Amino acid sequence: MTWFTFLVDNLLCRCLGISITVWFTLLFFCTIVPAVLGVSFGMRRLYMATLLKIFEVSTMSNFYNSIQIKFFFSALLIEDIIAKEPSSSLLQEFQELRGSASCLSSEPEFELADIFYFCRRGMETIVDDDVTKRFSAQELQNWNLLTRSNNNFRHISLRLTVLWGLGVLIRYGVLLPLRVTLAVTGISLLLVLTFLVAFLPNRELRSYLSEKVHLMCYRICVRALTAIITYHNRENKPQNGGICVANHTTPIDVIILANDGCYSLVGQVHGGLMGMIQRAMVRSSPHIWFERSEVKDRHLVAKRLGDHVADKTKQPILIFPEGTCINNTSVMMFKKGSFEIGCTVYPVAIKYDPRFGDAFWNSSKFGMVNYLLRMMSSWAIVCSVWYLPPMNREEGEDAVQFANRVKAAIAAQGGLVDLIWDGGLKRAKVKDAFKEEQQKLYSKVLVGEMDQNQSDDKHSQDDNPEDANNRN
Amino acid sequence: MGSRASTLLREEEIEEIKKETGFSHSQITRLYSRFTSLDKGENGTLSREDFQRIPELAINPLGDRIINAFFPEGEDQVNFRGFMRTLAHFRPIEDNEKNKNYSGDFIAFRLYDLDRDDKISRDELLQVLRMMVGVNISDEQLGSIADRTIQEADTNGDNSISFNEFIKVLEKVDVEQKMSIRFLH
């Protein structure tokens, strides 16, 4: 019988060998070659259309039947818990509560019922607040066959379970190894080629080739994530000598933007693999990496950015002014540093489609490697990028107002909520100055404007909460 | 991996909470979602720090007192039942359901009455006033405000405000409208 097992073994090995060869050939021709040349066969969009059909069939839900990416996703996400009134000022609310037209009497008017305002407001924020929900992934109304998005879906039929099982097999058995291979290829190519390009003596040739190399490697990385990106308004693409600002959802934002143009990145120097990639990149094109100690020194940062921008041969700088990852439902406060430099700002809005895989990086829940694995085992990463017309700081506008104007434009284009809260609240406590402002307002209700001036003198610090917030 | 809301909340529990508080099934599951998202320690209870992590609550002058209203006497953790019981006070109720145990003014009274002796003393009133106005009003003015308020409300002359006296003062305010939260579906 041994000759039989030997034959079977031989056959198996042959089959394995052939399938691996076929696999790699397909891989090479269908993904890497197009990436190198910069052409697209449209396979990813076909894949996306097929997936949508499957979702529709499996969950029998209507809203999956559109292929266009609808970017005002309120219908996709679960509804609010409470109906919030449009926010009226503290003064207005108390006028209503008191039922009187004027609050400017000289006698302090206190009512036991005043407490209702603060109590109700407080309770409303406990049930549903604007800030904490931005730091965790959005919840979908219908299931997209990924366990990680399965929050409230209690009735999972047999059919759905089978589909889900198939999905797991395909995602982890076929797609994940494919994507990991591509990612490894992309990164190694980047390291090797930038190393080689750096040796060229001719500066122009070097920058031309480095651009090509960077674009090629980013295209491979995009295919490694199965990212399906639609770029809008490419005539507004950032030019040399400017700063590109975008809303931040994930580190993948960089790959998505760099797929379409060359940018200089700004960031902290890391160790390990990231550090190696950083050093490789900076050899052939001018990126700005800061040592950890230098990050705190705002003048140094501003100077280096300013110098880079002044040199018109250098690529535009890519900056994410929020400073941290937000879950792509809103845009939070833009730090004013990049808006003080005084050059042209090119705003970019990025909006992800959560149906195929949520791209948000919850850094308190997942490390980088875990996150990348999740990304590579989702269905796909689908997003739209809008290049907005360039903006300049106007006369009489300070950096904060300019930042807010840019933020409003990005929020409007991407269908995101425009918030004034600081993204740093993910980890840090809110400043006391805001509470003091509320107290001040209520005191005005009690004693009116006149006595306010007297008690103002007693203040040791007369902070304007906006300034206090931006001073960090 | 995080096993989420519906798997941890059993049907019997939902029914019990529904009977006790009057919330609907979907409201209870949504609120449970919210409870778990606030529960960073993932141990099924909320601590005071979990509440203080909400920025809009942290800037509320009475934030700490409101958080206190959730915690039973002397305890540091509140479970989902306790969470729902406190929120039930803010559900708009129909006239035929009027129940003194679940009403907004009960919580409001609790915000004033720190030591839970069922009386609002002058000191307690001063404390709450100080929290609401910060450093903007002098001690003397605040003292006279407190005195006048107690004078107006106190009917039995014990220099403090009991729950019944409190309710009487609030009669002219539409408590339902001012204190209730509009829960959807």
Side-chain angles (χ1 to χ4, degrees):
Chain A
M1 287 300 276
T2 46
W3 60 265
F4 183 69
T5 47
F6 172 70
L7 211 61
V8 169
D9 274 340
N10 208 0
L11 212 59
L12 270 172
C13 284
R14 285 256 185 85
C15 285
L16 208 59
I18 292 175
S19 55
I20 290 186
T21 320
V22 166
W23 184 248
F24 273 106
T25 321
L26 265 179
L27 185 69
F28 191 66
F29 281 108
C30 291
T31 42
I32 296 191
V33 166
V36 168
L37 299 176
V39 301
S40 172
F41 288 153
M43 280 197 295
R44 281 172 291 154
R45 289 192 191 269
L46 183 64
Y47 167 66
M48 189 171 97
T50 322
L51 267 181
L52 276 174
K53 262 269 151 342
I54 295 177
F55 288 162
E56 182 193 331
V57 160
S58 68
T59 58
M60 311 285 264
S61 50
N62 277 342
F63 74 90
Y64 272 133
N65 63 4
S66 158
I67 291 181
Q68 287 112 18
I69 302 174
K70 288 198 175 74
F71 278 99
F72 297 86
F73 277 127
S74 41
L76 278 180
L77 306 177
I78 50 179
E79 298 150 17
D80 291 330
I81 309 180
I82 57 181
K84 283 227 183 107
E85 259 125 69
S87 55
S88 41
S89 76
L90 190 141
L91 225 55
Q92 280 174 312
E93 291 253 1
F94 273 105
Q95 272 173 346
E96 271 181 44
L97 198 66
R98 305 275 180 96
S100 66
S102 89
C103 299
L104 299 179
S105 55
S106 52
E107 274 296 316
E109 273 185 36
F110 171 69
E111 307 229 353
L112 283 172
D114 282 355
I115 209 176
F116 281 5
Y117 170 76
F118 293 112
C119 191
R120 185 173 57 91
R121 273 292 179 90
M123 285 297 172
E124 275 178 352
T125 63
I126 290 178
V127 173
D128 185 23
D129 80 300
D130 254 344
V131 181
T132 55
K133 66 182 180 188
R134 311 289 173 193
F135 300 134
S136 58
Q138 317 163 23
E139 289 184 26
L140 289 177
Q141 208 174 48
N142 281 286
W143 197 29
N144 61 350
L145 299 177
L146 294 175
T147 321
R148 61 196 67 150
S149 340
N150 184 359
N151 294 328
N152 302 317
F153 310 119
R154 325 173 63 133
H155 308 293
I156 301 181
S157 59
L158 180 63
R159 172 225 287 249
L160 267 184
T161 315
V162 165
L163 274 173
W164 171 77
L166 265 173
V168 167
L169 270 173
I170 296 179
R171 281 185 295 118
Y172 284 90
V174 175
L175 293 177
L176 183 61
L178 177 65
R179 288 172 180 162
V180 170
T181 324
L182 279 173
V184 167
T185 316
I187 295 181
S188 353
L189 267 180
L190 181 75
L191 289 173
V192 166
L193 287 177
T194 46
F195 185 70
L196 292 175
V197 166
F199 281 123
L200 291 173
N202 184 346
R203 189 159 175 263
E204 287 210 0
L205 185 63
R206 196 169 63 210
S207 65
Y208 174 74
L209 273 182
S210 123
E211 199 184 303
K212 291 286 174 254
V213 163
H214 269 107
L215 279 176
M216 180 182 85
C217 295
Y218 279 119
R219 277 197 290 261
I220 298 181
C221 285
V222 158
R223 280 158 172 79
L225 291 165
T226 318
I228 303 167
I229 313 170
T230 316
Y231 295 99
H232 302 267
N233 307 334
R234 293 172 86 175
E235 65 271 10
N236 291 325
K237 246 166 81 167
Q239 311 281 338
N240 286 359
I243 293 187
C244 174
V245 302
N247 56 314
H248 200 29
T249 304
T250 151
I252 295 178
D253 286 340
V254 172
I255 300 178
I256 293 195
L257 286 178
N259 184 38
D260 195 40
C262 280
Y263 299 94
S264 284
L265 306 174
V266 179
Q268 247 181 38
V269 169
H270 284 96
L273 180 64
M274 273 306 300
M276 246 191 341
I277 300 177
Q278 283 178 330
R279 281 193 295 278
M281 285 165 73
V282 87
R283 256 193 281 270
S284 50
S285 65
H287 298 284
I288 307 176
W289 307 122
F290 288 104
E291 299 290 335
R292 184 158 238 145
S293 50
E294 292 175 338
V295 171
K296 296 273 165 59
D297 184 350
R298 296 185 59 203
H299 289 297
L300 180 65
V301 170
K303 182 166 187 316
R304 275 184 77 175
L305 291 177
D307 288 343
H308 183 108
V309 158
D311 185 349
K312 294 291 178 209
T313 61
K314 292 193 176 159
Q315 308 141 328
I317 306 180
L318 178 59
I319 289 188
F320 298 105
E322 281 164 316
T324 184
C325 294
I326 313 291
N327 75 348
N328 209 232
T329 53
S330 66
V331 185
M332 295 187 120
M333 189 185 88
F334 275 6
K335 305 220 184 306
K336 65 180 177 177
S338 21
F339 298 92
E340 285 176 323
I341 300 179
C343 59
T344 318
V345 166
Y346 297 90
V348 174
I350 308 175
K351 180 75 174 128
Y352 290 86
D353 185 337
R355 292 177 289 180
F356 297 93
D358 196 315
F360 168 62
W361 182 33
N362 193 341
S363 46
S364 45
K365 249 179 149 182
F366 310 112
M368 177 62 104
V369 176
N370 203 340
Y371 168 72
L372 284 175
L373 280 175
R374 281 167 73 93
M375 283 302 100
M376 293 200 202
S377 59
S378 307
W379 293 114
I381 296 185
V382 180
C383 63
S384 259
V385 175
W386 285 274
Y387 293 107
L388 296 165
M391 288 177 154
N392 277 297
R393 196 158 99 183
E394 281 166 12
E395 285 293 321
E397 209 183 28
D398 70 351
V400 173
Q401 289 163 330
F402 181 38
N404 286 334
R405 193 159 60 91
V406 173
K407 177 161 65 87
I410 292 181
Q413 180 63 266
L416 307 163
V417 176
D418 188 357
L419 295 176
I420 54 164
W421 295 96
D422 185 356
L425 290 170
K426 196 196 247 180
R427 303 213 160 78
K429 287 204 159 207
V430 68
K431 295 213 180 322
D432 281 335
F434 286 115
K435 190 195 264 199
E436 282 158 23
E437 194 191 328
Q438 294 269 300
Q439 289 169 329
K440 213 167 177 178
L441 284 174
Y442 179 65
S443 315
K444 280 209 184 98
V445 170
L446 269 196
V447 300
E449 298 284 349
M450 301 180 301
D451 287 332
Q452 263 304 293
N453 296 330
Q454 293 173 343
S455 45
D456 265 345
D457 298 335
K458 296 191 191 133
H459 274 90
S460 48
Q461 57 167 359
D462 199 27
D463 263 339
N464 185 344
E466 276 272 60
D467 287 349
N469 197 20
N470 286 320
R471 212 174 278 142
N472 62 355
Chain B
M1 182 71 92
S3 41
R4 284 290 232 129
S6 37
T7 52
L8 290 184
L9 195 61
R10 300 184 318 273
E11 279 298 322
E12 312 94 64
E13 269 198 75
I14 299 183
E15 286 303 315
E16 282 171 36
I17 298 177
K18 196 166 166 179
K19 255 200 289 275
E20 197 185 335
T21 60
F23 281 114
S24 76
H25 196 276
S26 55
Q27 285 171 339
I28 296 176
T29 37
R30 289 298 313 284
L31 287 168
Y32 189 70
S33 244
R34 173 68 174 169
F35 180 81
T36 43
S37 73
L38 289 175
D39 178 18
K40 288 288 184 308
E42 295 194 358
N43 52 5
T45 60
L46 293 179
S47 66
R48 286 193 170 77
E49 287 77 40
D50 288 324
F51 283 103
Q52 277 156 358
R53 231 177 262 117
I54 305 174
E56 286 167 285
L57 185 63
I59 66 168
N60 191 317
L62 293 176
D64 286 330
R65 285 291 177 95
I66 296 172
I67 295 173
N68 244 351
F70 281 90
F71 292 87
E73 192 71 42
E75 289 190 20
D76 280 333
Q77 304 283 331
V78 59
N79 59 13
F80 183 57
R81 285 288 187 94
F83 184 70
M84 290 303 280
R85 273 194 211 112
T86 315
L87 283 181
H89 292 270
F90 296 90
R91 200 177 55 86
I93 50 184
E94 326 300 315
D95 275 309
N96 54 7
E97 283 187 295
K98 239 179 180 61
N99 180 2
K100 193 167 126 167
N101 284 332
Y102 282 114
S103 61
D105 36 2
F106 182 69
I107 293 281
F109 187 77
R110 261 228 211 145
L111 288 188
Y112 283 110
D113 182 21
L114 189 56
D115 59 6
R116 307 218 179 166
D117 63 355
D118 286 333
K119 285 206 296 270
I120 305 177
S121 67
R122 183 178 185 273
D123 274 338
E124 286 171 339
L125 189 56
L126 263 181
Q127 269 185 32
V128 173
L129 277 170
R130 181 52 74 192
M131 285 175 89
M132 289 203 277
V133 305
V135 301
N136 297 297
I137 298 185
S138 64
D139 282 331
E140 306 88 54
Q141 264 195 310
L142 227 51
S144 62
I145 293 176
D147 286 328
R148 201 178 37 250
T149 313
I150 294 190
Q151 233 175 7
E152 282 174 4
D154 191 17
T155 48
N156 63 356
D158 62 352
N159 218 24
S160 62
I161 307 177
S162 71
F163 187 54
N164 290 324
E165 291 164 351
F166 185 68
I167 303 258
K168 237 179 144 126
V169 171
L170 293 180
E171 260 168 6
K172 55 184 167 141
V173 178
D174 182 4
V175 178
E176 286 321 304
Q177 211 233 334
K178 296 301 166 203
M179 262 307 236
S180 58
I181 303 176
R182 284 184 295 148
F183 286 95
L184 292 175
H185 54 92

